[in-house]
Amino acid sequence: MPEGTKNGKAWDVMKGTNQKELLIIMPAHNEEENIVNVLTQLAAPEITEIADVLVMNDASSDKTNRIVKDKGHILVTNVFNLGYGSAIQLGYKYAIRRRYKYVIQMDADGQHDVCNIPRLYERIRTPNENGEYPDIVLGSRFLEGSSEYKVPITKKFAFCLFRFLIKLFTGKKINDPTTGLQALSWRAVLYYSRYGHFDDKYPDANMIIQMLLLGYRMEEMPAVMHNREHGVSMHSGLKPLVYLFRMIFSIAAVVFRIKVLDRKSKETIDDAFY
């Protein structure tokens, strides 16, 4: 139960009667060839029993909007393309307004297998030996127990660089620094939902460093992932080069803001929020 909640009844009053405590947020931009299969898998009883699904349609020009409506999921459509990070952050704002207890974010391109959802959901609700619950659980492609995943040489270089920077600035080893498959607690979602706390384009290693430096508890677990079958990745063409330089500067800005400007305290959760 999130901090600030006095009892289970208070939580039930604030959320809808049929609303689950878990929200799956899926940003989508022109993914009609992939999202049908993903949404079909999300219709499995083991998913519908524990989660609601929110698709953030980021101004798609294909049939993404109609496909999601036909499937009956929650849909928010951006009039203009805001970018991957902004689409997810709008989903966080929705989750906070609707008082969801947990969030799992996943991609609409079919790379994140739906089988990961129950396991991430269980992990985010499981305390460690000290009785502390994780704030963020990362679904990793590179742990023992993860599925085989082919990575181009350029991405391998980026992964090694980001792992090094995360270890350098936080002291923590993260095997998959760019995973988009994550489970988040209410506290992490609340922080991310506020202005200036989340990258509007590429929320990857920069956000991992930010949250670790701020003292949020982060864990990794093995995940099943697949390579994209249809469509074009947002990291196609020259975009990986732009992404790499932007990420390096973003990481530098995060470290400077927190370590030099001393913005280290987490947001206070006010009981009056409920």
Side-chain angles (χ1 to χ4, degrees):
M1 189 177 303
E3 296 177 19
T5 305
K6 300 301 183 184
N7 51 59
K9 291 183 179 179
W11 180 267
D12 290 336
V13 169
M14 295 308 297
K15 71 183 182 63
T17 304
N18 298 319
Q19 181 177 304
K20 312 299 190 303
E21 67 175 11
L22 170 64
L23 178 67
I24 298 170
I25 299 176
M26 186 188 307
H29 178 66
N30 294 335
E31 292 289 359
E32 65 176 3
E33 292 182 299
N34 299 302
I35 200 170
V36 173
N37 186 48
V38 177
L39 294 179
T40 298
Q41 294 179 45
L42 287 172
E46 58 268 26
I47 306 300
T48 59
E49 289 174 1
I50 62 173
D52 297 326
V53 177
L54 167 64
V55 177
M56 298 299 304
N57 178 24
D58 197 20
S60 297
S61 58
D62 62 4
K63 298 177 182 177
T64 295
N65 212 56
R66 191 175 74 184
I67 291 169
V68 177
K69 285 183 178 180
D70 289 344
K71 293 291 185 179
H73 295 298
I74 308 166
L75 173 67
V76 173
T77 299
N78 298 332
V79 178
F80 301 102
N81 182 253
L82 300 180
Y84 178 78
S86 290
I88 293 178
Q89 189 181 43
L90 282 175
Y92 294 152
K93 291 179 182 292
Y94 179 93
I96 292 300
R97 292 291 294 271
R98 296 291 300 179
R99 274 70 173 181
Y100 280 94
K101 200 171 180 182
Y102 305 102
V103 161
I104 290 178
Q105 63 181 57
M106 62 179 292
D107 293 343
D109 58 10
Q111 294 192 69
H112 299 157
D113 199 293
V114 172
C115 73
N116 296 299
I117 291 173
R119 294 188 289 132
L120 283 167
Y121 180 48
E122 181 64 26
R123 185 68 169 268
I124 196 71
R125 299 184 300 150
T126 302
N128 60 20
E129 60 276 7
N130 299 319
E132 299 171 329
Y133 290 85
D135 294 303
I136 301 174
V137 178
L138 306 175
S140 175
R141 291 163 284 188
F142 309 118
L143 287 175
E144 184 177 353
S146 302
S147 61
E148 184 178 353
Y149 188 86
K150 297 180 180 179
V151 180
I153 187 68
T154 53
K155 285 190 175 182
K156 286 183 179 179
F157 169 76
F159 291 154
C160 291
L161 175 61
F162 296 150
R163 288 184 192 124
F164 169 76
L165 292 175
I166 292 171
K167 181 71 172 179
L168 175 67
F169 293 122
T170 71
K172 186 174 178 65
K173 180 181 178 181
I174 297 295
N175 292 277
D176 194 345
T178 68
T179 178
L181 179 64
Q182 302 182 18
L184 301 99
S185 69
W186 180 88
R187 181 167 57 177
V189 174
L190 177 62
Y191 186 84
Y192 274 158
S193 70
R194 293 179 171 171
Y195 179 76
H197 290 185
F198 198 70
D199 191 282
D200 64 333
K201 294 296 183 184
Y202 305 119
D204 284 330
N206 50 352
M207 296 296 95
I208 290 176
I209 290 174
Q210 171 184 271
M211 301 306 272
L212 287 174
L213 289 178
L214 289 172
Y216 285 82
R217 293 181 290 273
M218 189 175 299
E219 299 179 4
E220 276 189 290
M221 64 178 296
V224 178
M225 297 196 194
H226 313 285
N227 292 100
R228 170 188 281 271
E229 293 185 3
H230 306 288
V232 179
S233 169
M234 68 176 182
H235 293 302
S236 60
L238 294 175
K239 292 178 181 178
L241 188 61
V242 175
Y243 163 81
L244 181 62
F245 280 103
R246 179 187 171 100
M247 186 59 56
I248 292 173
F249 282 114
S250 179
I251 289 172
V254 165
V255 174
F256 179 81
R257 185 175 70 248
I258 297 174
K259 287 199 168 186
V260 178
L261 299 182
D262 201 32
R263 296 183 184 176
K264 296 180 180 179
S265 60
K266 298 180 201 171
E267 295 294 302
T268 300
I269 298 175
D270 188 352
D271 285 359
F273 183 81
Y274 291 92

